[in-house]
Amino acid sequence: MQELYEMGARKFGIINVGLVGCVPLVRAQSPTGACSDDLNGLAAGFNDALASLLSDLAARLPGFAYSIADAHAAGQLAFADPAASGYTSVDAACCGSGRLGAEEDCQVGSTLCADRDKWAFWDRVHPSQRATMLSAAAYYDGPAQLTKPINFKQLARTTA
């Protein structure tokens, strides 16, 4: 990031690491279909270090502005209350095969869910189009709990 800054970049919109321990591929490896607390803990640790790094850079580099979109927190909110986001499934893949639709990649002939907008995951590791759209809207101009220190809209409006 410092190299980008030295080349003239001043605004940085960063999406941190989400709940990688809750993607269908990982859940399918658990006998109960549970998330991996270990993987989610590693992601949280990385996210803390990222926030600290960006704060330090902002303090040292004139004109440096940033926004961190909190994919980890967004996932926690969606998984805690799936219906609030319009989901009926937050643990399985819409496109795939096997347990939780996560034992094989999404490919021609794979089983597809009936209503893609009701699923948080498109395939065994990627969010669905709806999940991506909800996240983008939240990071751009949504609740302050999902972007720090400012949202992406505010970042776009800052002057260097």
Side-chain angles (χ1 to χ4, degrees):
M1 291 183 75
Q2 189 148 349
E3 287 181 31
L4 291 171
Y5 177 87
E6 290 168 5
M7 290 188 284
R10 294 295 182 265
K11 298 179 186 184
F12 296 85
I14 311 284
I15 301 173
N16 72 10
V17 179
L19 294 173
V20 293
C22 293
V23 299
L25 177 64
V26 172
R27 285 180 182 245
Q29 296 171 20
S30 164
T32 63
C35 295
S36 167
D37 291 337
D38 290 342
L39 288 177
N40 287 335
L42 288 171
F46 175 87
N47 292 341
D48 290 344
L50 174 65
S52 178
L53 170 73
L54 290 170
S55 177
D56 179 60
L57 288 173
R60 291 188 300 109
L61 303 175
F64 183 96
Y66 71 95
S67 177
I68 301 175
D70 196 344
H72 203 269
Q76 289 173 321
L77 291 171
F79 295 160
D81 186 6
S85 297
Y87 300 129
T88 57
S89 173
V90 294
D91 61 349
C94 177
C95 180
S97 62
R99 186 164 179 256
L100 299 176
E103 292 178 330
E104 297 288 331
D105 284 327
C106 178
Q107 44 192 308
V108 175
S110 291
T111 303
L112 295 176
C113 60
D115 187 350
R116 298 173 190 182
D117 283 341
K118 302 275 184 196
W119 292 62
F121 291 98
W122 167 247
D123 63 16
R124 57 194 199 158
V125 295
H126 297 103
S128 65
Q129 179 174 316
R130 176 177 181 74
T132 302
M133 290 174 59
L134 290 173
S135 295
Y139 304 153
Y140 181 71
D141 194 21
Q145 72 195 53
L146 296 181
T147 53
K148 299 284 189 261
I150 58 177
N151 64 37
F152 283 14
K153 182 179 181 179
Q154 293 164 324
L155 179 65
R157 292 182 175 172
T158 62
T159 56

